[in-house]
Amino acid sequence: NAGVTQTPKFQVLKTGQSMTLQCAQDMNHNSMYWYRQDPGMGLRLIYYSASEGTTDKGEVPNGYNVSRLNKREFSLRLESAAPSQTSVYFCASSDMAGYSNQPQHFGDGTRLSIL
Amino acid sequence: AQKVTQAQTEISVVEKEDVTLDCVYETRDTTYYLFWYKQPPSGELVFLIRRNSFDEQNEISGRYSWNFQKSTSSFNFTITASQVVDSAVYFCALSYGDNYGQNFVFGPGTRLSVLP
């Protein structure tokens, strides 16, 4: 059972470089999400996609873009990485588009460091 | 404002002790859902429980139990006879409204260390 798969698991970038974090889920979920986790702050929503073809901003979208490639895949792109984007990034998916009350299933995270 | 507070930043207990993790939430919605997630040292997030605002019945699952009290806006989590494997960061989360998943708020987490 793969669930939610994120690649890569670790990455180090230099300031100004670009990078795409990949996420795929095999649970046939409609909704997918990208969070960042910083010490002492819990998880904060960057972007989400309620269904294939739609994306919306979350709490902290600045500096990021997303693409919902198909129902399975939801990618997060940093166009010009900044040290403030050093974080652990989690992708998640959930069932039933349009409902925020289903539990989200998370990937294992991507630890990203920007030098 | 919708908010989740976990006032306990870190807790340390000795194995076999009982421990309660506190969660206090704020929401204007009458329909909402509360969740607990566990993040072990390996880093993944594991879903533990979901509770809706209309069901105040307490729940027990093995050594885990949850106490939901709307009167105090709390959804506390108790681990009975703690074990070293319970060491993790525990997050409480609130989901409200129906805005396509945007309204999902996490607390800052409580780091539990269970010492042998």
Side-chain angles (χ1 to χ4, degrees):
Chain A
N1 289 340
V4 179
T5 302
Q6 291 183 235
T7 55
K9 295 189 185 305
F10 303 94
Q11 185 69 49
V12 178
L13 294 177
K14 294 181 179 178
T15 297
Q17 286 185 318
S18 62
M19 158 143 209
T20 299
L21 307 185
Q22 306 288 351
C23 175
Q25 53 93 7
D26 62 2
M27 295 174 283
N28 202 36
H29 286 167
N30 286 304
S31 301
M32 297 185 73
Y33 314 83
W34 277 104
Y35 290 89
R36 60 178 288 173
Q37 183 180 21
D38 301 296
M41 300 189 72
L43 281 83
R44 292 183 293 168
L45 184 65
I46 305 171
Y47 270 94
Y48 65 98
S49 170
S51 60
E52 186 178 354
T54 69
T55 60
D56 284 282
K57 295 178 181 179
E59 180 186 355
V60 288
N62 291 346
Y64 305 96
N65 285 301
V66 291
S67 295
R68 183 74 182 266
L69 304 172
N70 48 54
K71 190 172 184 179
R72 291 186 63 248
E73 298 173 288
F74 188 38
S75 63
L76 178 72
R77 182 162 179 84
L78 288 70
E79 290 291 352
S80 179
S84 60
Q85 294 177 303
T86 293
S87 188
V88 180
Y89 291 85
F90 285 96
C91 177
S93 70
S94 66
D95 204 356
M96 298 182 69
Y99 290 88
S100 59
N101 50 38
Q102 297 299 316
Q104 298 178 349
H105 299 264
F106 287 84
D108 290 341
T110 295
R111 189 173 297 275
L112 183 61
S113 294
I114 316 295
L115 305 178
Chain B
Q2 325 281 353
K3 186 179 178 181
V4 175
T5 301
Q6 295 178 256
Q8 305 150 307
T9 304
E10 295 191 32
I11 301 175
S12 289
V13 299
V14 177
E15 203 169 20
K16 297 185 181 177
E17 287 185 358
D18 298 347
V19 58
T20 296
L21 309 182
D22 297 333
C23 173
V24 174
Y25 62 93
E26 297 176 29
T27 179
R28 292 185 297 269
D29 287 52
T30 55
T31 301
Y32 53 88
Y33 288 75
L34 296 164
F35 302 79
W36 276 95
Y37 286 84
K38 173 182 179 180
Q39 186 176 41
S42 50
E44 73 273 22
L45 281 150
V46 179
F47 165 70
L48 295 177
I49 189 172
R50 174 179 69 131
R51 172 69 73 214
N52 74 54
S53 54
F54 298 108
D55 181 4
E56 289 193 71
Q57 187 173 6
N58 291 333
E59 181 158 342
I60 298 175
S61 176
R63 296 184 297 106
Y64 295 171
S65 62
W66 291 269
N67 182 7
F68 177 30
Q69 292 194 339
K70 288 180 72 172
S71 61
T72 56
S73 296
S74 65
F75 186 43
N76 295 337
F77 174 29
T78 297
I79 301 175
T80 303
S82 59
Q83 299 176 2
V84 174
V85 294
D86 296 325
S87 296
V89 180
Y90 291 86
F91 292 98
C92 181
L94 165 70
S95 177
Y96 57 94
D98 59 0
N99 191 16
Y100 297 97
Q102 183 177 7
N103 300 329
F104 205 101
V105 178
F106 282 82
T110 296
R111 182 178 300 278
L112 173 65
S113 298
V114 181
L115 307 175

